[in-house]
């Protein structure tokens, strides 16, 4: 009986569906075109299908196609979209004409096995040699189960697309200024002119935030669609285009430089995504000494990626270190035009 190749042992069925939400953002007169005024890369996104070893043998498989830079792609094969892979299988790719991308690489656990794949018209077809079958993948569409979630009774609506009244710019050398982020069609606001923070401050809370990353091919690492959600202005849940990357301690969904996500749930740029964050503020004894560190639970696109994670202190670029005081919800301006919508918060003492 033919042994199962190592790469097939990596792949398990996983799929939730995926939704592409293309919203048209408008630039102000005379400004540079917005990275959202594009359909992105026609090949970029998620795919799923079956790896077939024979007429009666097949295993589910999923993949990301990442537009690394113009003329360069990666095909990332993983066990599922919601479970961390034991190892990534990454194939480099390059375009052959406007509608075709060719990939090639090896099984990371068995370098004797070579994978050749072609992406054309939304379908990936591949062979694995010597004599280990192949796979066929088609476009997949995922959507967060909390996308568009309505604020529950008693919630504080921080942004519903009608006004920016709940926010002000982070104070610099002078006093805080009213929020001047761009208001766009579809109940969307876009980063510009500095970070913002809620006028109201909080201790324990549960926050829902929807965000969308601009398509920035050619940018690298922290320059690729960077922003962040800071609880109390001190503890950052990172926003970054790390679509198709490993789970990084400074990647999307991480508690910045404290804890990587359990699995990287970042969708492709231009897709709407969700954070549902539970924050428990630090506790102090009567003398002001911290006896319980702040804790964060982060649910990214419906999957818990950090659970009850202690945070030893304010993360990098926090607004202050006054950890005994309540603080606002801060959305960071890191120089990239990230978009937000449907933000609400529930104050909680549990």
């Amino acid at each position: 009986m033919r042994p199962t190749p190592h790469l097939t042992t990596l792949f398990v069925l996983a799929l939730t569906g995926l939704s592409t939400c293309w919203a048209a953002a408008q630039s102000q007169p005379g400004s540079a075109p917005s990275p959202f005024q594009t359909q992105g890369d026609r090949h970029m996104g998620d795919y799923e299908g079956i790896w077939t070893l024979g007429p009666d043998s097949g295993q589910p498989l999923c993949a990301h196609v990442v537009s690394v830079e113009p003329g360069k792609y990666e095909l990332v094969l993983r066990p599922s979209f919601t479970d961390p892979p034991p190892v990534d299988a990454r194939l480099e790719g390059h375009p052959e004409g406007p509608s075709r991308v060719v990939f090639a690489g090896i099984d990371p656990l068995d370098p004797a096995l070579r994978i050749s794949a072609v992406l054309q018209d939304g379908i990936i077809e591949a062979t694995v040699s010597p004599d280990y079958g192949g796979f066929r993948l088609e476009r997949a569409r995922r959507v967060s189960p909390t996308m568009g979630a309505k604020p529950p009774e008693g919630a504080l609506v921080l942004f519903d697309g009608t006004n920016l009244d709940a926010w002000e710019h982070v104070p610099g050398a002078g006093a805080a200024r009213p929020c001047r982020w761009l208001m766009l069609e579809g109940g969307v606001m876009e980063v510009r002119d500095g970070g913002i923070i809620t006028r109201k401050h909080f201790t324990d809370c549960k926050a829902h935030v929807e965000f969308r990353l601009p398509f920035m091919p050619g940018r690298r690492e922290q320059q690729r669609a960077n922003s962040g959600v800071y609880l109390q202005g001190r503890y950052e849940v990172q926003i970054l285009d790390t679509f198709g990357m490993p789970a990084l301690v400074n990647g999307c969904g991480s508690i910045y430089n404290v804890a990587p996500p359990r699995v990287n749930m970042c969708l492709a740029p231009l897709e709407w995504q969700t954070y549902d964050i539970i924050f428990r503020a630090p506790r102090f004894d009567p003398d002001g000494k911290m006896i319980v560190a702040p804790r964060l639970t982060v649910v990214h696109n419906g999957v818990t990626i950090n659970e009850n994670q202690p945070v030893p202190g304010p993360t990098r670029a926090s607004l202050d270190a006054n950890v005994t005081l309540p603080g606002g919800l801060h959305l960071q301006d890191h120089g990239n035009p990230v978009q937000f919508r449907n933000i609400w918060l529930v104050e909680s003492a549990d």
Side-chain angles (χ1 to χ4, degrees):
M1 180 178 179
R2 178 189 302 175
T4 302
H6 290 292
L7 186 56
T8 61
T9 64
L10 296 178
F11 304 124
V12 214
L13 176 61
L15 234 335
T16 57
L18 168 53
S19 146
T20 305
C21 224
W22 304 105
Q26 299 177 341
S27 297
Q28 287 198 327
S31 66
S34 166
F36 294 99
Q37 291 179 320
T38 172
Q39 291 300 306
D41 186 295
R42 64 183 298 180
H43 305 298
M44 175 180 67
D46 292 336
Y47 295 76
E48 65 169 330
I50 298 293
W51 183 355
T52 304
L53 291 171
D56 301 315
S57 176
Q59 294 187 1
L61 176 62
C62 70
H64 309 298
V65 172
V66 182
S67 179
V68 179
E69 61 186 41
K72 183 178 179 181
Y73 294 88
E74 282 189 337
L75 175 63
V76 184
L77 304 174
R78 289 186 169 172
S80 80
F81 291 131
T82 56
D83 295 317
V87 63
D88 284 341
R90 292 179 176 269
L91 285 65
E92 292 189 359
H94 63 274
E96 289 187 349
S99 62
R100 178 183 171 95
V101 181
V102 176
F103 298 92
I106 61 172
D107 178 341
L109 297 182
D110 188 347
L113 297 180
R114 299 198 60 82
I115 309 170
S116 299
V118 174
L119 166 56
Q120 189 164 357
D121 299 326
I123 296 174
I124 301 171
E125 294 189 297
T127 58
V128 183
S129 60
D131 194 28
Y132 278 111
F135 52 83
R136 176 186 169 91
L137 310 177
E138 299 183 4
R139 281 278 188 179
R141 305 183 72 82
R142 290 186 286 163
V143 62
S144 169
T146 66
M147 187 67 69
K150 304 298 183 185
E153 185 177 354
L156 298 170
V157 176
L158 300 175
F159 181 67
D160 63 2
T162 61
N163 63 72
L164 299 169
D165 295 349
W167 304 86
E168 61 187 9
H169 276 280
V170 172
R177 298 171 290 127
C179 178
R180 296 184 63 244
W181 280 17
L182 291 176
M183 286 275 288
L184 306 171
E185 291 182 359
V188 174
M189 64 178 174
E190 183 174 297
V191 174
R192 79 162 198 176
D193 198 30
I196 60 174
I197 190 167
T198 55
R199 298 177 184 275
K200 184 174 175 58
H201 289 185
F202 311 97
T203 53
D204 296 353
C205 63
K206 302 174 184 178
H208 175 85
V209 178
E210 298 181 10
F211 63 94
R212 191 164 76 128
L213 305 178
F215 180 47
M216 307 181 76
R219 295 290 187 94
R220 291 288 183 273
E221 299 176 352
Q222 299 297 302
Q223 299 305 312
R224 191 164 167 131
N226 193 327
S227 182
V229 179
Y230 285 74
L231 285 301
Q232 292 193 332
R234 301 178 190 119
Y235 312 101
E236 181 185 13
V237 180
Q238 172 75 316
I239 290 176
L240 192 70
D241 178 10
T242 50
F243 173 64
M245 298 295 291
L248 304 172
V249 74
N250 60 358
C252 197
S254 67
I255 301 170
Y256 194 80
N257 276 357
V258 172
R262 180 184 64 84
V263 59
N264 180 9
M265 284 300 298
C266 187
L267 300 182
L270 304 180
E271 303 283 351
W272 281 104
Q273 309 190 47
T274 62
Y275 278 159
D276 293 279
I277 302 169
I278 299 174
F279 174 70
R280 183 173 173 82
R283 271 37 178 183
F284 302 89
D285 68 14
D287 296 324
K289 180 181 178 181
M290 185 185 297
I291 54 176
V292 179
R295 293 176 179 269
L296 280 166
T297 294
V298 182
V299 180
H300 187 189
N301 293 324
V303 174
T304 301
I305 58 171
N306 264 303
E307 187 168 12
N308 204 29
Q309 172 66 46
V311 186
T315 57
R316 184 181 298 179
S318 63
L319 299 184
D320 64 46
N322 300 323
V323 296
T324 61
L325 301 179
L329 190 72
H330 165 47
L331 303 180
Q332 184 188 50
D333 178 356
H334 202 278
N336 300 151
V338 175
Q339 295 181 346
F340 294 88
R341 70 181 186 189
N342 191 24
I343 304 173
W344 47 263
L345 181 146
V346 176
E347 295 183 89
S348 172
D350 57 8

